[in-house]
Structures are given as structure tokens and as C-alpha cells.
Amino acid sequence: MPPTTMKRILVIHGPNLNRLGRREPEIYGHHTLEAIDAEIIQAGEALGVIVQTFQSNHEGELVDRIQQAAEEVDGLVINPAAYTHTSVALRDALQMLDIPVIEVHLSNIYRRESFRHHSMTAAAATGQIAGLGKNGYLLALEALVRMDADAS
Ligand code: DQA
């Protein structure tokens, strides 16, 4: 992997993702959020970046964390969960960032109910990964690191 200036990456998980492993495992998989976060942090170490993770069920807390990220990190991975489909506040917060943002969904939102087909937040993201389960987070991390190396 080429040298990178991407040093710190924040991974944000939205509402109900704290219930992963117990929540509709046939859709979201059997891994808990704790296990997924541990894997993401380990993958970050292998890529030479420091990964922080954050989960909240509250829209305002997610907005606060995104605003804070503007000062603290070099890239953001976010699964806005249900707020993907509803939140102008999250979209506006993401829009203010000048760091790359990857939106991740565990499930393929385009194969599910029609209300999940539209993402309010995707237009404020650099790119989106959907339907690859927890691997989506790992691929998003790698994409951020590669994107940065390509730019330098
Ligand atoms: C989700 C998809 C959303 O539609 C849903 O509300 C979630 C999880 C996903 O990761 O597949 O909570 O973002």
C-alpha cells in the first residue's frame, strides 16, 4: 500500500445498529456491532490509519459528531441507517465537510421496500457501498486510503 496522509478515519453508525446480531439477522447478519467495530479498527491498523467508531440512535447527536469530525478526521464512513431516507439535517451536516465521505449500508437498499430506495444523504457523500454486509465498512476504509494515495 503506498504511503498515505489519511491518518484518522471516523466510522459512524446510525439508529438501531447497536442491535446488530439480534436485529433481523437474515437482513443484517449475525455479527454484533462490537464485533464489527473491532474488525474495522483492526483493518485500520493494517492499513496504517487510526479508526474511531461512534453509534447513536439520536439524529442531533449524529449531527454533532459529524460537525466535530470536520476538525478531527481525514475521512468519514457513515451508515446513517433509517436517517438515510429522511434526514435533511444529516445531509446538510455531511455537505459541510471537505473530507471524503463513504456511505455504507449492510443491506442492498435498492432490493428492499421502495421507501429505502432513496437516500437523502448519498448526494452529500463521495460514494456509496450497499449490500455487502460488514465487508462494506472494510472496503470503504480501503477506498478512503487508496483515494488519498491516488491524490498524492
Ligand atoms: C441500513 C438500511 C436502512 O434502510 C435501515 O433503516 C437500517 C440499516 C443498512 O445498513 O442496510 O437501519 O442502513
Side-chain angles (χ1 to χ4, degrees):
M1 192 65 62
T4 173
T5 54
M6 172 100 26
K7 296 275 186 271
R8 297 150 305 168
I9 294 173
L10 175 65
V11 179
I12 295 182
H13 307 283
N16 300 308
L17 295 174
N18 55 317
R19 300 293 296 162
L20 285 178
R22 292 152 294 231
R23 175 192 179 200
E24 300 181 273
E26 65 289 357
I27 297 175
Y28 298 115
H30 293 272
H31 301 275
T32 63
L33 186 62
E34 293 70 28
I36 292 173
D37 277 349
E39 204 174 328
I40 294 171
I41 288 165
Q42 204 180 359
E45 278 165 20
L47 289 167
V49 293
I50 296 164
V51 180
Q52 305 164 41
T53 64
F54 177 78
Q55 190 276 330
S56 176
N57 293 325
H58 304 279
E59 190 175 19
E61 280 182 11
L62 294 164
V63 169
D64 286 344
R65 194 66 190 86
I66 292 168
Q67 288 187 7
Q68 208 183 319
E71 315 298 321
E72 288 181 357
V73 299
D74 308 300
L76 176 68
V77 176
I78 183 165
N79 182 347
Y83 289 134
T84 304
H85 316 296
T86 63
S87 180
V88 177
L90 283 187
R91 180 195 181 119
D92 287 351
L94 293 172
Q95 194 71 53
M96 282 189 283
L97 295 176
D98 54 9
I99 55 174
V101 175
I102 315 274
E103 179 173 309
V104 169
H105 299 285
L106 293 154
S107 65
N108 181 347
I109 54 176
Y110 304 101
R111 290 180 74 169
R112 300 183 61 197
E113 303 96 322
S114 57
F115 69 86
R116 296 186 203 274
H117 297 176
H118 180 252
S119 169
M120 191 67 88
T121 45
T126 312
Q128 188 194 57
I129 299 173
L132 303 183
K134 68 182 173 67
N135 287 330
Y137 293 109
L138 308 176
L139 293 168
L141 279 190
E142 194 174 330
L144 286 173
V145 171
R146 281 176 178 267
M147 216 179 277
D148 189 56
D150 288 347
S152 58

Tab-separated table of all heavy atoms in Angstrom, residues 23-78:
chain	number	residue	atom	x	y	z
A	23	ARG	N	-30.886	-7.972	15.586
A	23	ARG	CA	-31.887	-7.298	14.768
A	23	ARG	C	-31.942	-7.923	13.365
A	23	ARG	O	-30.969	-7.818	12.606
A	23	ARG	CB	-31.485	-5.823	14.646
A	23	ARG	CG	-32.355	-5.020	13.732
A	23	ARG	CD	-31.740	-3.664	13.424
A	23	ARG	NE	-32.606	-2.935	12.520
A	23	ARG	CZ	-32.216	-1.931	11.775
A	23	ARG	NH1	-30.968	-1.499	11.842
A	23	ARG	NH2	-33.061	-1.341	10.975
A	24	GLU	N	-33.092	-8.500	13.023
A	24	GLU	CA	-33.298	-9.067	11.679
A	24	GLU	C	-32.003	-9.645	11.079
A	24	GLU	O	-31.531	-9.163	10.036
A	24	GLU	CB	-33.880	-8.004	10.748
A	24	GLU	CG	-35.225	-7.447	11.224
A	24	GLU	CD	-35.785	-6.408	10.276
A	24	GLU	OE1	-35.424	-5.221	10.436
A	24	GLU	OE2	-36.550	-6.768	9.384
A	25	PRO	N	-31.442	-10.678	11.713
A	25	PRO	CA	-30.136	-11.191	11.242
A	25	PRO	C	-30.161	-11.693	9.807
A	25	PRO	O	-29.118	-11.675	9.130
A	25	PRO	CB	-29.806	-12.322	12.226
A	25	PRO	CG	-31.068	-12.611	12.954
A	25	PRO	CD	-31.916	-11.386	12.908
A	26	GLU	N	-31.346	-12.090	9.321
A	26	GLU	CA	-31.422	-12.562	7.926
A	26	GLU	C	-31.165	-11.409	6.952
A	26	GLU	O	-30.768	-11.632	5.804
A	26	GLU	CB	-32.779	-13.256	7.655
A	26	GLU	CG	-34.038	-12.395	7.735
A	26	GLU	CD	-34.462	-11.938	9.142
A	26	GLU	OE1	-33.823	-12.322	10.142
A	26	GLU	OE2	-35.421	-11.143	9.226
A	27	ILE	N	-31.358	-10.167	7.426
A	27	ILE	CA	-31.078	-8.995	6.573
A	27	ILE	C	-29.707	-8.397	6.909
A	27	ILE	O	-28.930	-8.069	6.013
A	27	ILE	CB	-32.168	-7.906	6.758
A	27	ILE	CG1	-33.519	-8.434	6.303
A	27	ILE	CG2	-31.795	-6.615	5.993
A	27	ILE	CD1	-34.673	-7.474	6.548
A	28	TYR	N	-29.437	-8.265	8.218
A	28	TYR	CA	-28.246	-7.501	8.626
A	28	TYR	C	-27.071	-8.364	9.084
A	28	TYR	O	-26.008	-7.822	9.388
A	28	TYR	CB	-28.640	-6.502	9.719
A	28	TYR	CG	-29.652	-5.489	9.245
A	28	TYR	CD1	-30.946	-5.440	9.779
A	28	TYR	CD2	-29.330	-4.592	8.224
A	28	TYR	CE1	-31.886	-4.523	9.322
A	28	TYR	CE2	-30.257	-3.675	7.758
A	28	TYR	CZ	-31.530	-3.646	8.306
A	28	TYR	OH	-32.447	-2.738	7.843
A	29	GLY	N	-27.274	-9.682	9.144
A	29	GLY	CA	-26.172	-10.564	9.530
A	29	GLY	C	-26.162	-10.870	11.018
A	29	GLY	O	-26.913	-10.289	11.799
A	30	HIS	N	-25.284	-11.773	11.395
A	30	HIS	CA	-25.243	-12.283	12.770
A	30	HIS	C	-24.170	-11.612	13.622
A	30	HIS	O	-24.044	-11.913	14.802
A	30	HIS	CB	-25.021	-13.801	12.742
A	30	HIS	CG	-26.196	-14.538	12.161
A	30	HIS	ND1	-27.267	-14.959	12.923
A	30	HIS	CD2	-26.490	-14.869	10.889
A	30	HIS	CE1	-28.159	-15.540	12.140
A	30	HIS	NE2	-27.718	-15.496	10.894
A	31	HIS	N	-23.410	-10.705	13.051
A	31	HIS	CA	-22.320	-10.084	13.808
A	31	HIS	C	-22.840	-8.915	14.629
A	31	HIS	O	-23.650	-8.128	14.155
A	31	HIS	CB	-21.222	-9.587	12.870
A	31	HIS	CG	-20.648	-10.689	12.039
A	31	HIS	ND1	-19.631	-11.506	12.486
A	31	HIS	CD2	-20.971	-11.132	10.810
A	31	HIS	CE1	-19.355	-12.403	11.559
A	31	HIS	NE2	-20.153	-12.204	10.522
A	32	THR	N	-22.349	-8.790	15.852
A	32	THR	CA	-22.730	-7.643	16.684
A	32	THR	C	-21.955	-6.412	16.220
A	32	THR	O	-20.919	-6.528	15.544
A	32	THR	CB	-22.389	-7.895	18.165
A	32	THR	OG1	-20.959	-8.043	18.257
A	32	THR	CG2	-23.095	-9.132	18.706
A	33	LEU	N	-22.450	-5.246	16.644
A	33	LEU	CA	-21.740	-4.007	16.291
A	33	LEU	C	-20.348	-4.003	16.927
A	33	LEU	O	-19.381	-3.549	16.303
A	33	LEU	CB	-22.548	-2.785	16.753
A	33	LEU	CG	-21.960	-1.450	16.302
A	33	LEU	CD1	-21.925	-1.338	14.788
A	33	LEU	CD2	-22.736	-0.283	16.900
A	34	GLU	N	-20.253	-4.532	18.141
A	34	GLU	CA	-18.954	-4.566	18.829
A	34	GLU	C	-17.947	-5.380	18.001
A	34	GLU	O	-16.796	-4.972	17.831
A	34	GLU	CB	-19.088	-5.199	20.225
A	34	GLU	CG	-19.915	-4.393	21.226
A	34	GLU	CD	-21.423	-4.346	20.916
A	34	GLU	OE1	-21.964	-5.306	20.293
A	34	GLU	OE2	-22.062	-3.338	21.276
A	35	ALA	N	-18.403	-6.527	17.478
A	35	ALA	CA	-17.508	-7.378	16.687
A	35	ALA	C	-17.125	-6.678	15.378
A	35	ALA	O	-15.959	-6.722	14.954
A	35	ALA	CB	-18.180	-8.718	16.397
A	36	ILE	N	-18.095	-6.012	14.771
A	36	ILE	CA	-17.813	-5.309	13.508
A	36	ILE	C	-16.830	-4.166	13.757
A	36	ILE	O	-15.852	-3.995	13.029
A	36	ILE	CB	-19.125	-4.794	12.866
A	36	ILE	CG1	-19.976	-5.985	12.398
A	36	ILE	CG2	-18.840	-3.850	11.703
A	36	ILE	CD1	-21.370	-5.619	11.899
A	37	ASP	N	-17.069	-3.403	14.837
A	37	ASP	CA	-16.164	-2.288	15.156
A	37	ASP	C	-14.740	-2.791	15.397
A	37	ASP	O	-13.767	-2.179	14.936
A	37	ASP	CB	-16.673	-1.520	16.378
A	37	ASP	CG	-17.740	-0.496	16.014
A	37	ASP	OD1	-17.937	-0.233	14.807
A	37	ASP	OD2	-18.379	0.045	16.942
A	38	ALA	N	-14.629	-3.916	16.118
A	38	ALA	CA	-13.290	-4.467	16.408
A	38	ALA	C	-12.589	-4.825	15.093
A	38	ALA	O	-11.392	-4.546	14.908
A	38	ALA	CB	-13.408	-5.680	17.318
A	39	GLU	N	-13.350	-5.401	14.172
A	39	GLU	CA	-12.766	-5.786	12.887
A	39	GLU	C	-12.346	-4.555	12.068
A	39	GLU	O	-11.303	-4.538	11.415
A	39	GLU	CB	-13.788	-6.625	12.097
A	39	GLU	CG	-13.130	-7.518	11.095
A	39	GLU	CD	-14.096	-8.465	10.386
A	39	GLU	OE1	-15.089	-8.889	11.008
A	39	GLU	OE2	-13.857	-8.759	9.217
A	40	ILE	N	-13.192	-3.516	12.141
A	40	ILE	CA	-12.882	-2.280	11.396
A	40	ILE	C	-11.595	-1.643	11.950
A	40	ILE	O	-10.730	-1.192	11.193
A	40	ILE	CB	-14.055	-1.267	11.520
A	40	ILE	CG1	-15.317	-1.782	10.817
A	40	ILE	CG2	-13.663	0.085	10.960
A	40	ILE	CD1	-16.562	-0.933	11.093
A	41	ILE	N	-11.488	-1.607	13.276
A	41	ILE	CA	-10.309	-0.978	13.907
A	41	ILE	C	-9.043	-1.752	13.536
A	41	ILE	O	-8.013	-1.168	13.195
A	41	ILE	CB	-10.522	-0.864	15.437
A	41	ILE	CG1	-11.561	0.234	15.708
A	41	ILE	CG2	-9.206	-0.569	16.171
A	41	ILE	CD1	-12.160	0.246	17.090
A	42	GLN	N	-9.166	-3.076	13.559
A	42	GLN	CA	-8.024	-3.931	13.195
A	42	GLN	C	-7.636	-3.717	11.719
A	42	GLN	O	-6.451	-3.619	11.390
A	42	GLN	CB	-8.430	-5.379	13.411
A	42	GLN	CG	-7.266	-6.306	13.641
A	42	GLN	CD	-7.735	-7.746	13.842
A	42	GLN	OE1	-8.938	-8.032	13.825
A	42	GLN	NE2	-6.791	-8.642	14.018
A	43	ALA	N	-8.647	-3.615	10.858
A	43	ALA	CA	-8.375	-3.380	9.437
A	43	ALA	C	-7.682	-2.026	9.261
A	43	ALA	O	-6.784	-1.880	8.431
A	43	ALA	CB	-9.670	-3.427	8.628
A	44	GLY	N	-8.110	-1.040	10.046
A	44	GLY	CA	-7.489	0.285	10.006
A	44	GLY	C	-6.009	0.193	10.357
A	44	GLY	O	-5.164	0.795	9.679
A	45	GLU	N	-5.713	-0.580	11.416
A	45	GLU	CA	-4.303	-0.743	11.819
A	45	GLU	C	-3.490	-1.321	10.675
A	45	GLU	O	-2.385	-0.859	10.385
A	45	GLU	CB	-4.200	-1.652	13.053
A	45	GLU	CG	-4.457	-0.898	14.346
A	45	GLU	CD	-4.717	-1.812	15.538
A	45	GLU	OE1	-4.343	-3.011	15.479
A	45	GLU	OE2	-5.315	-1.321	16.519
A	46	ALA	N	-4.046	-2.325	10.005
A	46	ALA	CA	-3.330	-2.961	8.892
A	46	ALA	C	-3.105	-1.967	7.748
A	46	ALA	O	-2.112	-2.058	7.021
A	46	ALA	CB	-4.103	-4.169	8.406
A	47	LEU	N	-4.025	-1.011	7.603
A	47	LEU	CA	-3.903	-0.010	6.521
A	47	LEU	C	-3.087	1.207	6.966
A	47	LEU	O	-2.865	2.127	6.185
A	47	LEU	CB	-5.299	0.465	6.084
A	47	LEU	CG	-6.162	-0.529	5.315
A	47	LEU	CD1	-7.609	-0.042	5.245
A	47	LEU	CD2	-5.608	-0.728	3.898
A	48	GLY	N	-2.716	1.241	8.248
A	48	GLY	CA	-1.907	2.351	8.765
A	48	GLY	C	-2.704	3.589	9.113
A	48	GLY	O	-2.173	4.700	9.096
A	49	VAL	N	-4.007	3.419	9.422
A	49	VAL	CA	-4.831	4.565	9.829
A	49	VAL	C	-5.472	4.299	11.196
A	49	VAL	O	-5.668	3.148	11.583
A	49	VAL	CB	-5.949	4.878	8.794
A	49	VAL	CG1	-5.365	5.365	7.492
A	49	VAL	CG2	-6.852	3.678	8.550
A	50	ILE	N	-5.763	5.375	11.892
A	50	ILE	CA	-6.415	5.251	13.199
A	50	ILE	C	-7.917	5.389	12.975
A	50	ILE	O	-8.368	6.382	12.390
A	50	ILE	CB	-5.923	6.347	14.158
A	50	ILE	CG1	-4.431	6.164	14.416
A	50	ILE	CG2	-6.715	6.345	15.464
A	50	ILE	CD1	-3.771	7.389	15.013
A	51	VAL	N	-8.658	4.406	13.416
A	51	VAL	CA	-10.108	4.425	13.209
A	51	VAL	C	-10.816	4.605	14.545
A	51	VAL	O	-10.540	3.896	15.514
A	51	VAL	CB	-10.581	3.114	12.545
A	51	VAL	CG1	-12.088	3.150	12.336
A	51	VAL	CG2	-9.875	2.896	11.219
A	52	GLN	N	-11.708	5.591	14.581
A	52	GLN	CA	-12.611	5.744	15.720
A	52	GLN	C	-13.998	5.348	15.253
A	52	GLN	O	-14.340	5.590	14.092
A	52	GLN	CB	-12.725	7.207	16.154
A	52	GLN	CG	-11.449	7.919	16.479
A	52	GLN	CD	-11.688	9.431	16.502
A	52	GLN	OE1	-12.701	9.908	17.003
A	52	GLN	NE2	-10.763	10.169	15.931
A	53	THR	N	-14.814	4.811	16.170
A	53	THR	CA	-16.189	4.470	15.798
A	53	THR	C	-17.158	5.165	16.753
A	53	THR	O	-16.804	5.479	17.894
A	53	THR	CB	-16.433	2.947	15.837
A	53	THR	OG1	-16.292	2.482	17.178
A	53	THR	CG2	-15.472	2.205	14.927
A	54	PHE	N	-18.361	5.407	16.258
A	54	PHE	CA	-19.378	6.104	17.052
A	54	PHE	C	-20.744	5.611	16.620
A	54	PHE	O	-20.993	5.458	15.423
A	54	PHE	CB	-19.267	7.614	16.795
A	54	PHE	CG	-20.310	8.436	17.495
A	54	PHE	CD1	-20.208	8.727	18.855
A	54	PHE	CD2	-21.422	8.924	16.804
A	54	PHE	CE1	-21.173	9.480	19.498
A	54	PHE	CE2	-22.396	9.683	17.440
A	54	PHE	CZ	-22.270	9.962	18.790
A	55	GLN	N	-21.618	5.336	17.582
A	55	GLN	CA	-23.008	4.956	17.253
A	55	GLN	C	-23.958	5.806	18.073
A	55	GLN	O	-23.728	6.061	19.250
A	55	GLN	CB	-23.238	3.466	17.569
A	55	GLN	CG	-24.560	2.898	17.043
A	55	GLN	CD	-25.766	3.151	17.959
A	55	GLN	OE1	-25.633	3.249	19.181
A	55	GLN	NE2	-26.947	3.263	17.366
A	56	SER	N	-25.037	6.237	17.437
A	56	SER	CA	-26.098	6.903	18.197
A	56	SER	C	-27.447	6.614	17.561
A	56	SER	O	-27.549	6.441	16.342
A	56	SER	CB	-25.859	8.411	18.249
A	56	SER	OG	-26.946	9.035	18.919
A	57	ASN	N	-28.455	6.603	18.416
A	57	ASN	CA	-29.835	6.467	17.933
A	57	ASN	C	-30.481	7.832	17.729
A	57	ASN	O	-31.652	7.904	17.359
A	57	ASN	CB	-30.651	5.659	18.952
A	57	ASN	CG	-30.183	4.215	19.026
A	57	ASN	OD1	-29.779	3.641	18.021
A	57	ASN	ND2	-30.216	3.639	20.207
A	58	HIS	N	-29.715	8.916	17.978
A	58	HIS	CA	-30.298	10.257	18.024
A	58	HIS	C	-29.747	11.131	16.898
A	58	HIS	O	-28.526	11.309	16.785
A	58	HIS	CB	-30.023	10.894	19.386
A	58	HIS	CG	-30.518	10.048	20.512
A	58	HIS	ND1	-31.838	10.042	20.900
A	58	HIS	CD2	-29.890	9.136	21.279
A	58	HIS	CE1	-31.998	9.166	21.876
A	58	HIS	NE2	-30.839	8.596	22.132
A	59	GLU	N	-30.632	11.690	16.122
A	59	GLU	CA	-30.243	12.475	14.951
A	59	GLU	C	-29.307	13.631	15.318
A	59	GLU	O	-28.291	13.856	14.667
A	59	GLU	CB	-31.514	12.993	14.271
A	59	GLU	CG	-31.296	13.628	12.923
A	59	GLU	CD	-32.624	14.005	12.257
A	59	GLU	OE1	-33.652	14.108	12.960
A	59	GLU	OE2	-32.623	14.196	11.036
A	60	GLY	N	-29.687	14.381	16.382
A	60	GLY	CA	-28.879	15.541	16.790
A	60	GLY	C	-27.473	15.136	17.213
A	60	GLY	O	-26.495	15.841	16.928
A	61	GLU	N	-27.363	13.995	17.899
A	61	GLU	CA	-26.022	13.523	18.312
A	61	GLU	C	-25.186	13.163	17.091
A	61	GLU	O	-23.969	13.385	17.072
A	61	GLU	CB	-26.145	12.294	19.218
A	61	GLU	CG	-26.496	12.664	20.640
A	61	GLU	CD	-26.563	11.441	21.569
A	61	GLU	OE1	-26.136	10.338	21.170
A	61	GLU	OE2	-27.064	11.618	22.691
A	62	LEU	N	-25.831	12.613	16.075
A	62	LEU	CA	-25.109	12.273	14.846
A	62	LEU	C	-24.637	13.548	14.141
A	62	LEU	O	-23.504	13.624	13.661
A	62	LEU	CB	-25.994	11.430	13.928
A	62	LEU	CG	-26.334	10.034	14.490
A	62	LEU	CD1	-27.504	9.411	13.740
A	62	LEU	CD2	-25.119	9.114	14.445
A	63	VAL	N	-25.506	14.558	14.121
A	63	VAL	CA	-25.115	15.857	13.525
A	63	VAL	C	-23.924	16.435	14.290
A	63	VAL	O	-22.933	16.875	13.685
A	63	VAL	CB	-26.308	16.849	13.536
A	63	VAL	CG1	-25.840	18.253	13.176
A	63	VAL	CG2	-27.399	16.386	12.579
A	64	ASP	N	-23.994	16.402	15.630
A	64	ASP	CA	-22.887	16.932	16.450
A	64	ASP	C	-21.579	16.207	16.125
A	64	ASP	O	-20.530	16.837	15.988
A	64	ASP	CB	-23.177	16.747	17.949
A	64	ASP	CG	-24.228	17.713	18.463
A	64	ASP	OD1	-24.524	18.713	17.770
A	64	ASP	OD2	-24.768	17.469	19.569
A	65	ARG	N	-21.657	14.877	15.991
A	65	ARG	CA	-20.430	14.092	15.769
A	65	ARG	C	-19.867	14.394	14.376
A	65	ARG	O	-18.645	14.440	14.198
A	65	ARG	CB	-20.738	12.595	15.943
A	65	ARG	CG	-19.513	11.734	16.077
A	65	ARG	CD	-18.756	12.038	17.360
A	65	ARG	NE	-17.452	11.387	17.402
A	65	ARG	CZ	-16.341	11.905	16.874
A	65	ARG	NH1	-16.358	13.079	16.253
A	65	ARG	NH2	-15.194	11.251	16.964
A	66	ILE	N	-20.741	14.594	13.397
A	66	ILE	CA	-20.265	14.932	12.041
A	66	ILE	C	-19.579	16.307	12.073
A	66	ILE	O	-18.507	16.496	11.489
A	66	ILE	CB	-21.426	14.909	11.024
A	66	ILE	CG1	-21.930	13.481	10.831
A	66	ILE	CG2	-20.989	15.504	9.686
A	66	ILE	CD1	-23.254	13.374	10.081
A	67	GLN	N	-20.187	17.261	12.779
A	67	GLN	CA	-19.580	18.602	12.865
A	67	GLN	C	-18.194	18.530	13.509
A	67	GLN	O	-17.256	19.174	13.060
A	67	GLN	CB	-20.480	19.546	13.651
A	67	GLN	CG	-21.729	19.946	12.887
A	67	GLN	CD	-22.533	21.010	13.614
A	67	GLN	OE1	-22.098	21.546	14.630
A	67	GLN	NE2	-23.708	21.311	13.107
A	68	GLN	N	-18.096	17.720	14.569
A	68	GLN	CA	-16.821	17.537	15.264
A	68	GLN	C	-15.792	16.884	14.335
A	68	GLN	O	-14.611	17.228	14.369
A	68	GLN	CB	-17.091	16.610	16.447
A	68	GLN	CG	-16.193	16.761	17.644
A	68	GLN	CD	-16.593	15.698	18.677
A	68	GLN	OE1	-17.780	15.439	18.904
A	68	GLN	NE2	-15.603	15.075	19.268
A	69	ALA	N	-16.270	15.975	13.487
A	69	ALA	CA	-15.371	15.253	12.583
A	69	ALA	C	-14.642	16.207	11.650
A	69	ALA	O	-13.496	15.960	11.263
A	69	ALA	CB	-16.159	14.231	11.766
A	70	ALA	N	-15.304	17.301	11.299
A	70	ALA	CA	-14.702	18.268	10.380
A	70	ALA	C	-13.351	18.735	10.909
A	70	ALA	O	-12.426	19.010	10.141
A	70	ALA	CB	-15.640	19.452	10.192
A	71	GLU	N	-13.209	18.808	12.224
A	71	GLU	CA	-11.964	19.287	12.848
A	71	GLU	C	-10.977	18.155	13.104
A	71	GLU	O	-9.792	18.397	13.278
A	71	GLU	CB	-12.259	19.926	14.224
A	71	GLU	CG	-13.443	20.879	14.279
A	71	GLU	CD	-13.233	22.071	13.365
A	71	GLU	OE1	-12.093	22.553	13.294
A	71	GLU	OE2	-14.217	22.492	12.712
A	72	GLU	N	-11.477	16.927	13.183
A	72	GLU	CA	-10.667	15.857	13.791
A	72	GLU	C	-10.184	14.763	12.860
A	72	GLU	O	-9.243	14.077	13.205
A	72	GLU	CB	-11.508	15.157	14.877
A	72	GLU	CG	-11.721	15.993	16.102
A	72	GLU	CD	-12.537	15.249	17.135
A	72	GLU	OE1	-12.970	14.120	16.861
A	72	GLU	OE2	-12.720	15.820	18.214
A	73	VAL	N	-10.895	14.527	11.758
A	73	VAL	CA	-10.533	13.343	10.967
A	73	VAL	C	-10.310	13.681	9.491
A	73	VAL	O	-10.682	14.757	9.023
A	73	VAL	CB	-11.585	12.199	11.111
A	73	VAL	CG1	-11.704	11.742	12.552
A	73	VAL	CG2	-12.933	12.589	10.547
A	74	ASP	N	-9.719	12.723	8.791
A	74	ASP	CA	-9.360	12.934	7.387
A	74	ASP	C	-10.321	12.241	6.428
A	74	ASP	O	-10.241	12.423	5.215
A	74	ASP	CB	-7.940	12.395	7.155
A	74	ASP	CG	-6.965	12.979	8.170
A	74	ASP	OD1	-6.816	14.210	8.199
A	74	ASP	OD2	-6.394	12.210	8.972
A	75	GLY	N	-11.189	11.394	6.977
A	75	GLY	CA	-12.163	10.689	6.144
A	75	GLY	C	-13.278	10.159	7.018
A	75	GLY	O	-13.074	9.907	8.210
A	76	LEU	N	-14.450	9.997	6.431
A	76	LEU	CA	-15.615	9.545	7.206
A	76	LEU	C	-16.321	8.410	6.480
A	76	LEU	O	-16.542	8.479	5.265
A	76	LEU	CB	-16.586	10.722	7.383
A	76	LEU	CG	-17.907	10.430	8.095
A	76	LEU	CD1	-17.689	10.097	9.563
A	76	LEU	CD2	-18.854	11.629	7.990
A	77	VAL	N	-16.672	7.384	7.246
A	77	VAL	CA	-17.544	6.306	6.758
A	77	VAL	C	-18.811	6.405	7.585
A	77	VAL	O	-18.736	6.498	8.821
A	77	VAL	CB	-16.884	4.916	6.971
A	77	VAL	CG1	-17.828	3.801	6.553
A	77	VAL	CG2	-15.553	4.829	6.221
A	78	ILE	N	-19.967	6.426	6.940
A	78	ILE	CA	-21.207	6.568	7.710
A	78	ILE	C	-22.291	5.637	7.191
A	78	ILE	O	-22.524	5.546	5.978
A	78	ILE	CB	-21.705	8.040	7.731
A	78	ILE	CG1	-22.959	8.168	8.602
A	78	ILE	CG2	-21.939	8.600	6.335
A	78	ILE	CD1	-23.320	9.596	8.988
